Amino acid sequence: DAGITQSPRHKVTETGTPVTLRCHQTENHRYMYWYRQDPGHGLRLIHYSYGVKDTDKGEVSDGYSVSRSKTEDFLLTLESATSSQTSVYFCAISEGQGHYGYTFGSGTRLTVV
Amino acid sequence: RKEVEQDPGPFNVPEGATVAFNCTYSNSASQSFFWYRQDCRKEPKLLMSVYSSGNEDGRFTAQLNRASQYISLLIRDSKLSDSATYLCVVNGAGANNLFFGTGTRLTVIP
């Protein structure tokens, strides 16, 4: 399997607290993505990165920020967690755009209480 | 309108059956198409890419109909291990990411 790991795997946090999820890859892929998956909505893009310090918003970026200071790490931060951000978060990597599929991490199950 | 739409199912089929899933996409300029498989509480995994000429991988056949903007996945001789959710995936033209359908759930029954 591709070298992509997410941490933590599970987290329970309180409303209003900041939370950071980490995605780490050992494939040296340029592109990294954060998705959330919710029943009835499927996977929705939060943010993505196309290189170190190069990031852009996806369709559900409100309340989230990202950082990529190294090729291998892509961090997702919930600035002030809300119950609507309870979800499963998947990180994905890709060699390039368009014709390249994605490889996903195992996911982080986040519960905001 | 959603970028990708799929029948959520569920499809319950006996072992050995042939089952087909369809998916429609909204952007006529899309160029890349995939089927992913997702097991319960696991991450999605790439099953196969979909090429314009259609392609086959063992018991799985994927086809693309650009005129009607739909993609299909055919599974022959279904196995119990095929039970999963199948996600239709399309790139948005001009977008740097892929759009995922909500998935079609398949259960293969002994």
Side-chain angles (χ1 to χ4, degrees):
Chain A
D1 285 349
I4 174 172
T5 55
Q6 291 184 233
S7 59
R9 293 294 309 276
H10 302 272
K11 186 170 182 66
V12 179
T13 193
E14 292 186 350
T15 298
T17 60
V19 177
T20 296
L21 308 183
R22 181 179 184 240
C23 179
H24 178 78
Q25 61 143 331
T26 57
E27 302 298 315
N28 202 36
H29 286 346
R30 179 180 174 188
Y31 294 87
M32 299 185 76
Y33 308 83
W34 277 107
Y35 282 84
R36 60 178 290 175
Q37 187 172 37
D38 305 287
H41 290 280
L43 285 152
R44 292 180 292 173
L45 182 68
I46 305 171
H47 283 277
Y48 66 96
S49 170
Y50 45 96
V52 173
K53 298 192 190 307
D54 291 324
T55 65
D56 207 348
K57 296 179 179 180
E59 64 178 301
V60 290
S61 60
D62 287 348
Y64 301 95
S65 62
V66 289
S67 66
R68 191 162 177 207
S69 58
K70 299 184 289 186
T71 299
E72 56 267 35
D73 290 324
F74 192 32
L75 303 181
L76 176 71
T77 298
L78 288 64
E79 293 140 10
S80 177
T82 67
S83 59
S84 65
Q85 293 176 312
T86 292
S87 186
V88 180
Y89 292 86
F90 287 104
C91 176
I93 60 175
S94 174
E95 290 183 70
Q97 300 176 51
H99 301 292
Y100 296 88
Y102 294 175
T103 300
F104 284 86
S106 300
T108 295
R109 193 168 293 271
L110 177 69
T111 302
V112 183
V113 297
Chain B
R1 184 182 173 188
K2 290 185 178 180
E3 294 276 347
V4 182
E5 300 209 50
Q6 294 181 250
D7 179 349
F11 285 65
N12 299 316
V13 303
E15 269 187 292
T18 296
V19 61
F21 308 136
N22 288 331
C23 153
T24 59
Y25 61 95
S26 61
N27 193 329
S28 60
S30 293
Q31 295 293 324
S32 301
F33 310 92
F34 308 90
W35 282 101
Y36 275 71
R37 171 196 169 121
Q38 186 172 24
D39 293 297
C40 188
R41 300 179 76 85
K42 298 287 189 181
E43 73 273 22
K45 292 186 177 179
L46 179 63
L47 179 65
M48 58 196 305
S49 300
V50 186
Y51 303 120
S52 296
S53 55
N55 48 299
E56 187 174 307
D57 182 2
R59 297 181 293 107
F60 298 84
T61 300
Q63 295 202 315
L64 168 64
N65 184 319
R66 286 191 183 274
S68 301
Q69 292 180 216
Y70 82 76
I71 306 152
S72 64
L73 177 68
L74 182 77
I75 305 175
R76 290 181 300 277
D77 189 22
S78 298
K79 311 290 185 191
L80 296 177
S81 57
D82 293 335
S83 297
T85 297
Y86 291 84
L87 308 176
C88 175
V89 183
V90 176
N91 83 309
N96 293 322
N97 60 277
L98 300 177
F99 292 94
F100 289 75
T102 53
T104 299
R105 185 165 182 177
L106 171 67
T107 300
V108 181
I109 304 163

